[in-house]
Amino acid sequence: MNTPIKVLLYEDNRDLREGISFLLQATAGLDLRAALPHVNNIRTDLAAHQPDVVLMDINMPGMTGLEALPIVKEINPNIQVVLLTVFDDDERIFQALRSGASGYLLKNTPPGEIVQAVFDVHKGGSPMTSTVARKVLQFFQQPVKPIVADHDLSARELDILRGLMKGYSYKLIADELGISLDTVRSHIRNVYDKLQVNSKTEAILKAMKEGWVG
Amino acid sequence: MNTPIKVLLYEDNRDLREGISFLLQATAGLDLRAALPHVNNIRTDLAAHQPDVVLMDINMPGMTGLEALPIVKEINPNIQVVLLTVFDDDERIFQALRSGASGYLLKNTPPGEIVQAVFDVHKGGSPMTSTVARKVLQFFQQPVKPIVADHDLSARELDILRGLMKGYSYKLIADELGISLDTVRSHIRNVYDKLQVNSKTEAILKAMKEGWVG
DNA sequence: CCGGCAACCGCATAATCATGTTAAAGTAGC
DNA sequence: GCTACTTTAACATGATTATGCGGTTGCCGG
C-alpha cells in the first residue's frame, strides 16, 4: 500500500481545522486534499478530491455532518467516514452508525490518535472513543428487557405460544409436543385468557411486542 | 481512584498466561489476584478474589470463556469482562457481546494494549480490536437491507396485509377498507400466492421477517 | 388430607379461514 | 383493439380456529 491515503477534513472551528490539518499534512502516507469549514458543497468536494477517508465534524453551520454522511455513502460507499464531535448522546451516535459512519471520535481525543484513526479506518478498522464503544455494546446487552413482567404463562403454555409464533397449526403443535389436538386447544384457551386476546394472530402480535419469546 | 484495580486472568496457555501475568503485575495501579488455567471454579474464584476486571480466554479446557461469561455477570454485573481470543467469527463475537462482555481483544493485540484495556474497561470504556469494532458497526448498518425487492404486492394487497398485521379479521378489514368480505378473501389469496404461504400467520411472520413492517 | 393448579384429554358448535371457480369493470401498455 | 394486471365481487366446500362445558391425573403447600 504505497499510494497515500486521500483525506478530506471538515471542521468549522478554524484553530482546530488548522491544527489537525497540520498534523495530517505532516504525516507520511496521508494526502490531505482539502480542509473545509463547511459541508454544503459535499458533492462537488467529493467529485473533485476523490477521498478515501473523510474526517467530519458533526456541528457545522449549514448542513451538519450527520446530514452529509448519507450523501457521502450514497455517492461512494467505499469512502470511510469518521465523525468528530463533542456530542456523545445516544441519539446522535446511533444515527451516525446507522448512516454508515466507520468511526466516531470525541473531540477530546489526542491529535495523534486522530491521525491513527485515519489509518485505522482505511485498513478496515473502526476507531471509536471508548465511551462510544461502550454505548454501542450496551445496545446489544439491553435485550435484558426491563419488563419481563406479567407472563403468568406456564412452561407448557409458552411451548404452545412458541409453536404459534413459528406459524404452526394446532395439529402441527400437537405433533411436535406429542399431545392431542384437544390439549393444544385447551392450552391455547388459557393462553388467550391470560393474554387477553382472542385469536392466534393477536396472541402472536402481543407476544412479539411484549418481547419475550422468540 | 487510588485503590488498585483487582484483576483475574484466565488463560490456559502457560506461556501466554505467565507473560501477561508478568506485565499486569509490573503495572502500577493493577492488582493481579490470580492467573488461572481454567474457569471451572469460576464461582469460588470470584468469591475469593472479588475482582473488578476479568481477563478471559475463550478457548479453554472444560468450560469455555463464553460459557463462564454469563455466570460472571449473573454473580456481579459490575465486574468488567474482557474476552481474549484468536477467533473473530461473527457468531462468537455477538454471543459474547450479548452475554455482557465489555471488551473483545484478539490475541495478536500487543501486550501493552492488553494492559491498557484493563484500565479502559475499568473506567467505563470498551476496548475492542478494530476488526471486531467494524463487525459490530456493520451490524447497525445492515438494516439497509440488500433487497427491498420482490414484494410484487399491489397497493391494495399491501392494505390487506397491513390489516392482517394489525390482527384484524377478514370482516374487520373489509369494513375498514369499505369492501366486501369476499373481496378481502380474493386479495388475501393473491397475497398468499405471492408470498408463497398459506395461512394468515405465515403471511404475517414472513412480512415481518422481510422487514417492510413498520 | 385437601384445595389449587398444571397438564392432559374429549365432544360439540359456531365462527373464521383457506381454497376453488368464475367474472365484471377499470387501467396501462403495446 | 388486445393483453395483462388490479380491484371488485359472488358462491361453495372443507379445514382450522374459537369457545363452552365437561373430565382425569399428578404435584405442591397448607
Side-chain angles (χ1 to χ4, degrees), chain A residues 47-99:
Chain A
H49 301 294
Q50 301 282 328
D52 301 303
V53 175
V54 173
L55 273 173
M56 202 157 57
D57 186 18
I58 283 192
N59 208 280
M60 286 178 286
M63 197 189 297
T64 71
L66 240 33
E67 290 162 334
L69 176 52
I71 299 175
V72 175
K73 299 304 279 191
E74 176 210 321
I75 291 177
N76 182 353
N78 292 322
I79 299 175
Q80 304 297 323
V81 179
V82 176
L83 260 21
L84 205 56
T85 175
V86 292
F87 304 108
D88 69 338
D89 54 294
D90 294 22
E91 203 39 59
R92 247 179 270 253
I93 291 175
F94 287 115
Q95 198 202 321
L97 297 187
R98 272 195 302 275
S99 303

Coordinates of all heavy atoms in Angstrom, one line a residue, chain A residues 47-99:
Chain A
A47 N -16.4 14.9 -5.6 CA -16.0 14.7 -7.0 C -14.6 15.2 -7.3 O -13.9 14.6 -8.1 CB -17.1 15.4 -7.9
A48 N -14.3 16.3 -6.7 CA -13.0 17.0 -7.0 C -11.9 16.2 -6.4 O -10.8 16.1 -7.0 CB -13.1 18.4 -6.5
H49 N -12.1 15.7 -5.2 CA -10.9 15.2 -4.5 C -10.8 13.6 -4.4 O -9.8 13.1 -4.0 CB -10.9 15.8 -3.1 CG -10.8 17.3 -3.1 ND1 -9.7 18.0 -3.5 CD2 -11.7 18.2 -2.7 CE1 -9.9 19.3 -3.4 NE2 -11.1 19.5 -2.9
Q50 N -11.9 13.0 -4.6 CA -11.9 11.5 -4.6 C -11.3 11.0 -3.3 O -10.3 10.2 -3.4 CB -11.2 11.0 -5.8 CG -11.8 11.4 -7.2 CD -13.1 10.6 -7.5 OE1 -13.1 9.4 -7.2 NE2 -14.1 11.2 -8.1
P51 N -11.7 11.4 -2.2 CA -11.0 11.0 -1.0 C -11.2 9.5 -0.6 O -12.2 8.9 -1.1 CB -11.7 11.9 0.1 CG -13.1 12.0 -0.4 CD -12.9 12.1 -1.9
D52 N -10.3 8.9 0.2 CA -10.5 7.6 0.7 C -11.2 7.7 2.1 O -12.0 6.8 2.4 CB -9.1 6.9 0.9 CG -8.4 6.8 -0.5 OD1 -9.0 6.2 -1.4 OD2 -7.3 7.3 -0.6
V53 N -10.8 8.7 2.8 CA -11.3 8.9 4.1 C -11.8 10.3 4.3 O -11.2 11.3 3.9 CB -10.2 8.6 5.2 CG1 -10.7 8.9 6.6 CG2 -9.7 7.2 5.1
V54 N -13.0 10.5 5.0 CA -13.5 11.8 5.3 C -13.5 12.0 6.8 O -14.2 11.2 7.5 CB -14.9 12.0 4.7 CG1 -15.4 13.4 5.1 CG2 -14.8 12.0 3.2
L55 N -12.9 13.0 7.3 CA -13.0 13.4 8.7 C -14.0 14.5 8.8 O -13.9 15.5 8.1 CB -11.6 13.8 9.2 CG -10.7 12.8 9.7 CD1 -9.3 13.4 10.0 CD2 -11.2 12.1 11.0
M56 N -15.0 14.3 9.6 CA -16.1 15.3 9.6 C -16.6 15.7 11.0 O -16.9 14.8 11.8 CB -17.2 14.7 8.8 CG -18.2 15.6 8.2 SD -19.0 14.9 6.7 CE -19.8 13.5 7.5
D57 N -16.6 16.9 11.2 CA -17.3 17.4 12.4 C -18.8 17.3 12.3 O -19.3 17.2 11.2 CB -16.9 18.9 12.6 CG -17.5 19.5 13.9 OD1 -17.7 18.6 14.8 OD2 -17.6 20.7 14.1
I58 N -19.5 17.1 13.4 CA -20.9 17.0 13.3 C -21.6 18.4 13.2 O -22.4 18.7 12.4 CB -21.5 16.2 14.4 CG1 -21.3 14.7 14.2 CG2 -23.0 16.4 14.6 CD1 -22.0 13.8 15.1
N59 N -21.1 19.2 14.1 CA -21.8 20.5 14.3 C -21.1 21.6 13.4 O -20.1 22.1 13.7 CB -21.8 21.0 15.7 CG -22.9 21.9 16.0 OD1 -22.9 23.0 15.7 ND2 -24.0 21.3 16.6
M60 N -21.7 21.9 12.3 CA -21.2 22.9 11.4 C -22.3 23.8 10.9 O -23.5 23.4 10.8 CB -20.5 22.2 10.2 CG -19.2 21.6 10.5 SD -18.4 20.8 9.1 CE -19.5 19.3 8.9
P61 N -22.0 25.0 10.6 CA -23.0 25.9 10.0 C -23.5 25.3 8.7 O -22.8 24.7 7.9 CB -22.2 27.2 9.8 CG -20.8 26.9 9.8 CD -20.7 25.7 10.7
G62 N -24.8 25.5 8.5 CA -25.4 24.9 7.3 C -25.7 23.5 7.5 O -26.2 23.1 8.6
M63 N -25.3 22.6 6.6 CA -25.6 21.2 6.7 C -24.7 20.6 7.8 O -23.5 21.0 7.9 CB -25.3 20.5 5.4 CG -25.9 19.1 5.3 SD -25.4 18.3 3.8 CE -26.0 19.3 2.5
T64 N -25.2 19.7 8.6 CA -24.4 19.1 9.6 C -23.8 17.8 9.1 O -24.1 17.4 8.0 CB -25.3 18.6 10.8 OG1 -26.1 17.5 10.4 CG2 -26.2 19.7 11.3
G65 N -22.8 17.4 9.8 CA -22.1 16.2 9.4 C -23.0 15.0 9.3 O -22.9 14.1 8.4
L66 N -24.0 15.0 10.2 CA -24.9 13.9 10.2 C -25.8 13.8 9.0 O -26.2 12.8 8.5 CB -25.8 14.0 11.5 CG -25.8 12.9 12.5 CD1 -24.5 12.2 12.6 CD2 -26.3 13.4 13.8
E67 N -26.1 15.0 8.4 CA -26.9 15.1 7.2 C -26.0 14.8 6.0 O -26.5 14.2 5.0 CB -27.5 16.5 7.1 CG -28.6 16.8 8.1 CD -28.9 18.3 8.2 OE1 -27.9 19.1 7.9 OE2 -30.0 18.6 8.6
A68 N -24.8 15.1 6.1 CA -23.9 14.9 4.9 C -23.5 13.4 4.8 O -23.3 12.9 3.7 CB -22.6 15.8 5.1
L69 N -23.4 12.8 5.9 CA -23.0 11.4 5.9 C -23.7 10.5 4.9 O -23.1 9.8 4.1 CB -23.1 10.8 7.4 CG -22.8 9.4 7.6 CD1 -21.4 9.0 7.1 CD2 -22.8 9.1 9.1
P70 N -25.0 10.5 4.9 CA -25.7 9.6 4.0 C -25.4 9.9 2.5 O -25.4 9.0 1.7 CB -27.2 9.8 4.3 CG -27.3 10.5 5.6 CD -26.0 11.2 5.8
I71 N -25.2 11.2 2.3 CA -24.9 11.6 0.9 C -23.5 11.0 0.5 O -23.4 10.5 -0.6 CB -24.8 13.2 0.9 CG1 -26.2 13.8 1.3 CG2 -24.4 13.6 -0.5 CD1 -26.2 15.3 1.3
V72 N -22.6 11.1 1.4 CA -21.3 10.6 1.1 C -21.4 9.1 0.8 O -20.9 8.6 -0.2 CB -20.3 10.7 2.3 CG1 -19.0 10.0 2.0 CG2 -20.1 12.2 2.6
K73 N -22.1 8.3 1.7 CA -22.2 6.9 1.5 C -23.0 6.5 0.2 O -22.8 5.5 -0.3 CB -22.8 6.2 2.7 CG -22.0 6.4 4.0 CD -20.6 6.0 3.9 CE -20.5 4.5 4.1 NZ -19.1 4.1 4.3
E74 N -23.9 7.4 -0.1 CA -24.7 7.2 -1.3 C -23.8 7.3 -2.6 O -23.9 6.5 -3.5 CB -25.8 8.2 -1.4 CG -26.7 8.0 -2.6 CD -27.3 9.4 -3.0 OE1 -27.7 10.1 -2.1 OE2 -27.3 9.7 -4.2
I75 N -23.0 8.4 -2.6 CA -22.1 8.6 -3.7 C -21.1 7.6 -3.9 O -20.8 7.1 -4.9 CB -21.4 10.0 -3.6 CG1 -22.5 11.1 -3.7 CG2 -20.3 10.2 -4.6 CD1 -21.9 12.5 -3.5
N76 N -20.4 7.2 -2.8 CA -19.5 6.1 -2.8 C -19.3 5.5 -1.4 O -18.7 6.0 -0.6 CB -18.1 6.7 -3.2 CG -17.1 5.6 -3.4 OD1 -17.3 4.5 -3.0 ND2 -15.9 6.0 -3.8
P77 N -19.9 4.3 -1.3 CA -20.0 3.6 0.0 C -18.6 3.2 0.4 O -18.4 2.9 1.6 CB -20.8 2.3 -0.3 CG -21.5 2.6 -1.6 CD -20.6 3.6 -2.4
N78 N -17.6 3.2 -0.4 CA -16.3 2.8 0.0 C -15.5 3.9 0.7 O -14.5 3.6 1.3 CB -15.5 2.4 -1.3 CG -16.0 1.2 -1.9 OD1 -16.4 0.3 -1.2 ND2 -16.0 1.1 -3.2
I79 N -16.0 5.1 0.7 CA -15.4 6.2 1.4 C -15.7 6.0 2.9 O -16.8 5.7 3.3 CB -15.9 7.6 1.0 CG1 -15.7 7.8 -0.5 CG2 -15.4 8.7 1.9 CD1 -16.3 9.1 -1.0
Q80 N -14.6 6.0 3.7 CA -14.7 5.8 5.1 C -14.9 7.1 5.8 O -14.1 8.0 5.6 CB -13.5 5.1 5.7 CG -13.1 3.8 5.0 CD -14.2 2.7 5.2 OE1 -14.8 2.7 6.3 NE2 -14.5 1.9 4.2
V81 N -15.9 7.2 6.6 CA -16.2 8.5 7.3 C -16.0 8.4 8.8 O -16.5 7.4 9.4 CB -17.7 8.9 7.0 CG1 -18.0 10.2 7.7 CG2 -17.9 9.0 5.5
V82 N -15.2 9.3 9.3 CA -15.0 9.3 10.7 C -15.6 10.6 11.2 O -15.3 11.7 10.8 CB -13.5 9.3 11.1 CG1 -13.3 9.5 12.6 CG2 -12.9 8.0 10.6
L83 N -16.6 10.5 12.2 CA -17.2 11.6 12.8 C -16.4 12.1 14.0 O -15.8 11.4 14.7 CB -18.6 11.3 13.2 CG -19.8 11.7 12.3 CD1 -19.3 11.9 10.8 CD2 -20.8 10.6 12.3
L84 N -16.4 13.4 14.1 CA -15.5 14.1 15.1 C -16.5 15.1 15.8 O -17.0 16.0 15.2 CB -14.4 14.9 14.4 CG -13.1 15.2 15.1 CD1 -12.5 13.9 15.6 CD2 -12.2 15.8 14.1
T85 N -16.7 14.9 17.1 CA -17.7 15.7 17.7 C -17.5 15.8 19.2 O -16.8 15.1 19.8 CB -19.1 15.1 17.4 OG1 -20.1 15.8 18.1 CG2 -19.1 13.6 17.9
V86 N -18.3 16.8 19.7 CA -18.2 16.9 21.2 C -19.5 16.2 21.8 O -19.5 16.1 23.0 CB -18.3 18.4 21.6 CG1 -17.0 19.1 21.2 CG2 -19.5 19.1 21.0
F87 N -20.4 15.8 21.0 CA -21.6 15.2 21.5 C -21.4 13.6 21.6 O -20.9 13.0 20.8 CB -22.8 15.4 20.5 CG -23.0 16.9 20.3 CD1 -22.6 17.4 19.1 CD2 -23.5 17.7 21.3 CE1 -22.8 18.8 18.8 CE2 -23.6 19.0 21.1 CZ -23.3 19.6 19.8
D88 N -21.9 13.1 22.7 CA -21.9 11.7 22.9 C -23.2 11.2 23.3 O -23.4 10.1 24.0 CB -20.8 11.3 23.8 CG -21.2 11.6 25.3 OD1 -22.0 12.5 25.4 OD2 -20.6 11.0 26.2
D89 N -24.3 11.8 22.9 CA -25.6 11.3 23.2 C -26.0 10.2 22.3 O -25.6 10.1 21.2 CB -26.7 12.4 23.1 CG -26.7 13.1 21.8 OD1 -25.7 13.8 21.5 OD2 -27.6 13.0 21.0
D90 N -26.8 9.3 22.9 CA -27.1 8.0 22.2 C -27.7 8.3 20.8 O -27.4 7.7 19.8 CB -28.1 7.2 23.0 CG -27.5 6.8 24.3 OD1 -26.5 7.3 24.7 OD2 -28.0 5.8 24.9
E91 N -28.6 9.3 20.8 CA -29.4 9.5 19.5 C -28.4 9.8 18.4 O -28.5 9.1 17.3 CB -30.3 10.7 19.8 CG -31.5 10.7 18.8 CD -32.0 9.3 18.6 OE1 -32.4 8.6 19.5 OE2 -31.9 8.9 17.4
R92 N -27.5 10.7 18.6 CA -26.6 11.1 17.6 C -25.7 9.9 17.2 O -25.4 9.7 16.0 CB -25.8 12.2 18.0 CG -26.0 13.5 17.3 CD -25.2 14.6 17.8 NE -25.9 15.3 18.9 CZ -26.4 16.5 18.8 NH1 -26.3 17.2 17.7 NH2 -27.0 17.1 19.8
I93 N -25.2 9.2 18.2 CA -24.3 8.1 17.9 C -24.9 7.1 17.0 O -24.4 6.7 16.0 CB -23.8 7.5 19.2 CG1 -22.9 8.5 19.9 CG2 -23.0 6.2 18.9 CD1 -22.4 8.0 21.3
F94 N -26.1 6.7 17.4 CA -26.7 5.6 16.6 C -27.2 6.0 15.3 O -27.1 5.3 14.3 CB -27.9 5.0 17.4 CG -27.4 4.2 18.6 CD1 -27.7 4.5 19.9 CD2 -26.7 3.0 18.4 CE1 -27.2 3.8 21.0 CE2 -26.2 2.3 19.4 CZ -26.5 2.6 20.7
Q95 N -27.6 7.3 15.2 CA -28.0 7.7 13.8 C -26.7 7.7 12.9 O -26.8 7.3 11.8 CB -28.5 9.2 13.9 CG -29.3 9.5 12.7 CD -29.5 11.0 12.4 OE1 -29.6 11.7 13.4 NE2 -29.3 11.4 11.2
A96 N -25.6 8.1 13.5 CA -24.4 8.2 12.7 C -24.0 6.7 12.3 O -23.7 6.5 11.1 CB -23.3 8.8 13.6
L97 N -24.1 5.8 13.2 CA -23.7 4.5 12.9 C -24.6 3.8 11.8 O -24.2 3.2 10.9 CB -23.7 3.6 14.1 CG -22.7 4.0 15.2 CD1 -22.7 3.0 16.4 CD2 -21.3 4.2 14.6
R98 N -25.9 4.1 12.0 CA -26.9 3.6 11.0 C -26.6 4.2 9.6 O -26.8 3.5 8.6 CB -28.3 3.9 11.5 CG -28.9 2.9 12.4 CD -30.4 3.1 12.4 NE -30.8 4.5 12.9 CZ -30.8 4.8 14.2 NH1 -30.6 3.9 15.1 NH2 -31.2 6.0 14.5
S99 N -26.2 5.4 9.6 CA -26.0 6.1 8.3 C -24.7 5.6 7.7 O -24.4 6.0 6.6 CB -26.0 7.6 8.5 OG -27.2 8.0 9.1

